[in-house]
Amino acid sequence: MAEQLNDREGSGLADKLMQYLPARFRPGTAVVPVVRLSGVIGAVTPLRPGMSLAGVARVLERAFSMRNAKAVALVINSPGGSPVQSRQIYLRIKQLAAEKKLPVLVFVEDVAASGGYMIACAGDEIFCDPSSILGSIGVVGGSFGFQEAIRRLGIERRLYTAGAHKAMLDPFLPENPDDVAKLKAIQREIHQIFIALVKESRGARLKGDDDTLFTGEYWAGESSIGLGLADGIGDLRSTLRARYGEKVLTPVIAQPTGLLSGLLGRKSPGAGQLSALESMAGLPDELISAVETRAIWAKFGF
């Protein structure tokens, strides 16, 4: 009898102590950490860096290492950008998911297009809103031709190179068909890498043929589901509650900011002000980059 009383007292004390633990540390609590991946990928400007592996690696590692995690949720809102950074982020997510043996659920907000869709393919399942935009599985590059403008202004172009193609696609020189052909060959190679990644990730779920899926076209939510680019309509809160219970915890894992970010080495004290001052001379480039970034979003109606 005394042993039973002692067991009950010990159990009661343990229950009381559990009340003081953060909810995510309590046994049996379902936790699904959330990581937001937003913005143009790899578009680095003097004042505003784009999304990159270096920028999101720490956050992803924290999310996949969280105690009691049942899965990791990624909220994606990106019109794309650098194919290299997109694929590196995709690979890191796949690596962490395999190491921690955790499923990855992707939730598309406004858009997951081009490189943004490439990252979304790291998910075991992709959910979207009926008005979300998905796809744009292709490669694009662009420039301007200023040679006539500088001629009319009486400006002489002086360019010194070593290497026959070092000035390839220079916007102040007339367009060279051979240079364009070389660029298109590179684009086709990158496009094939993108296509192979989507096919490997989505597998038999893809319903459209190559001439439909991989032309660079994009679709709204329901159409993308019909083509197998996404798995269902669903928002993060409702989907996770239906799957893991009403009390599922969804902590958002974000980059450290302010003083903490400085202590973690993301930014030295005063570095922001110094870089801003140094970038004043590059404001024209920053303005052009901002216009280009806006144009990328505008392509999808945002």
Side-chain angles (χ1 to χ4, degrees), residues 40-51:
V40 176
I41 303 165
V44 179
T45 66
L47 298 179
R48 181 178 296 177
M51 193 196 318

Side-chain angles (χ1 to χ4, degrees), residues 242-259:
R243 186 163 300 190
Y244 298 105
E246 290 294 319
K247 294 185 178 180
V248 62
L249 299 177
T250 56
V252 177
I253 312 301
Q255 287 280 11
T257 57
L259 176 62

Side-chain angles (χ1 to χ4, degrees), residues 93-199:
I93 294 166
K94 297 290 283 187
Q95 291 162 1
L96 289 169
E99 289 171 11
K100 303 298 183 179
K101 296 180 174 57
L102 289 174
V104 177
L105 306 178
V106 169
F107 296 88
V108 178
E109 291 191 321
D110 296 310
V111 57
S114 195
Y117 184 72
M118 183 184 288
I119 294 174
C121 284
D124 296 285
E125 297 177 74
I126 300 175
F127 299 93
C128 60
D129 185 86
S131 299
S132 297
I133 298 295
L134 292 86
S136 191
I137 303 168
V139 181
V140 65
S143 183
F144 299 91
F146 295 111
Q147 70 274 9
E148 289 299 319
I150 63 173
R151 183 184 63 78
R152 290 172 184 170
L153 292 172
I155 299 171
E156 181 183 353
R157 173 67 163 158
R158 295 175 180 176
L159 185 66
Y160 311 101
T161 67
H165 300 289
K166 189 61 179 178
M168 187 174 76
L169 302 175
D170 186 295
F172 295 100
L173 295 176
E175 187 176 68
N176 183 330
D178 290 339
D179 292 347
V180 175
K182 288 182 176 68
L183 174 62
K184 287 186 173 295
I186 294 172
Q187 288 180 323
R188 285 192 294 271
E189 186 175 351
I190 296 171
H191 192 199
Q192 288 305 312
I193 294 170
F194 194 173
I195 292 171
L197 182 149
V198 174
K199 286 185 173 181

Side-chain angles (χ1 to χ4, degrees), residues 252-273:
V252 177
I253 312 301
Q255 287 280 11
T257 57
L259 176 62
L260 183 58
S261 68
L263 293 174
L264 292 177
R266 291 186 64 225
K267 186 184 292 184
S268 300
Q273 294 89 333

Side-chain angles (χ1 to χ4, degrees), residues 204-223:
R205 287 175 289 185
L206 293 174
K207 303 303 180 186
D209 55 39
D210 287 10
D211 291 337
T212 300
L213 293 173
F214 305 130
T215 63
E217 187 177 354
Y218 47 88
W219 300 269
E222 292 286 2
S223 296

